[in-house]
Amino acid sequence: MPRLALYTFGVLKSPLADPAPLTREFYDIGEAVYRKISQYPGYLARAEAAGGDRGMLFEADWGAWGEFDVPAWYDKGRTVETTALATTLSLWTDLGPAFEAVYSGLHRDALNRRYDWFERTGHPNYVFWWVPDGAIPTWRDGVSRLEHLHGHGSAPHAFTFHHPFTPQGTPVPRTALQAEV
């Protein structure tokens, strides 16, 4: 059975290494959100660097998730001191569990504060796509899907909660998704 891949990407207002209160607050909330999300039914896995160091995104070993990559529009730093982004790559069983995890609890609270921490870029900040059972999406997959979504809108290849698709490429009415939650 196909699985759902989710790639998120946001440009932070300050570098990850910045000791300012907002950056610390984002980190503290982010760590709690990751712990909670990983407990949701339907959550399967997320990309984690082998070393787990904050800010070591570009240099990290991501194993089967591939070499770290970012969208072409990201124009901030790429070193530990200058990187100003937050990104995730995860696997889910289906849209319903992902929707519930994103729009409830701690993640919902963090989502409500996103403009405190993130720049408004005019680009999408997340994308979904279906992967075959057993496949691990890569960072490059996520970036290419997000860029495709930005250029072409939702399609079976790259979509959002607002315009989702089944693994077979059939549009899913948004009301059906909300009814699952």
Side-chain angles (χ1 to χ4, degrees):
M1 176 165 205
R3 299 179 301 168
L4 187 68
L6 168 60
Y7 173 75
T8 67
F9 186 85
V11 179
L12 292 165
K13 290 182 175 180
S14 62
L16 292 169
D18 185 351
L22 270 181
T23 304
R24 280 196 312 272
E25 181 183 50
F26 172 75
Y27 263 129
D28 293 344
I29 289 171
E31 289 175 10
V33 167
Y34 279 138
R35 281 192 305 275
K36 191 69 174 165
I37 291 261
S38 69
Q39 298 169 358
Y40 270 87
Y43 169 86
L44 298 172
R46 74 177 170 100
E48 295 184 78
D53 294 326
R54 288 182 175 177
M56 299 244 344
L57 302 172
F58 294 93
E59 304 86 6
D61 174 6
W62 294 94
W65 301 88
E67 185 177 336
F68 188 76
D69 200 6
V70 294
W73 64 79
Y74 175 72
D75 61 358
K76 296 206 175 183
R78 293 175 182 250
T79 67
V80 173
E81 296 79 23
T82 62
T83 298
L85 63 90
T87 186
T88 63
L89 179 58
S90 57
L91 276 172
W92 296 83
T93 57
D94 205 352
L95 281 163
F99 186 90
E100 183 176 345
V102 168
Y103 291 109
S104 66
L106 287 176
H107 192 272
R108 172 85 179 179
D109 295 343
L111 207 54
N112 289 337
R113 303 257 340 264
R114 67 186 171 271
Y115 297 122
D116 292 344
W117 304 310
F118 293 96
E119 294 180 1
R120 296 179 189 217
T121 65
H123 298 278
N125 58 10
Y126 75 96
V127 65
F128 286 110
W129 71 100
W130 294 100
V131 297
D133 190 27
I136 303 291
T138 66
W139 290 107
R140 182 68 221 144
D141 294 336
V143 168
S144 69
R145 304 287 175 138
L146 191 69
E147 289 173 341
H148 185 274
L149 177 67
H150 178 68
H152 305 285
S154 280
H157 177 77
F159 56 91
T160 66
F161 280 128
H162 295 287
H163 298 100
F165 290 84
T166 67
Q168 297 76 29
T170 306
V172 176
R174 189 156 190 258
T175 54
L177 178 61
Q178 290 174 328
E180 289 183 24
V181 177

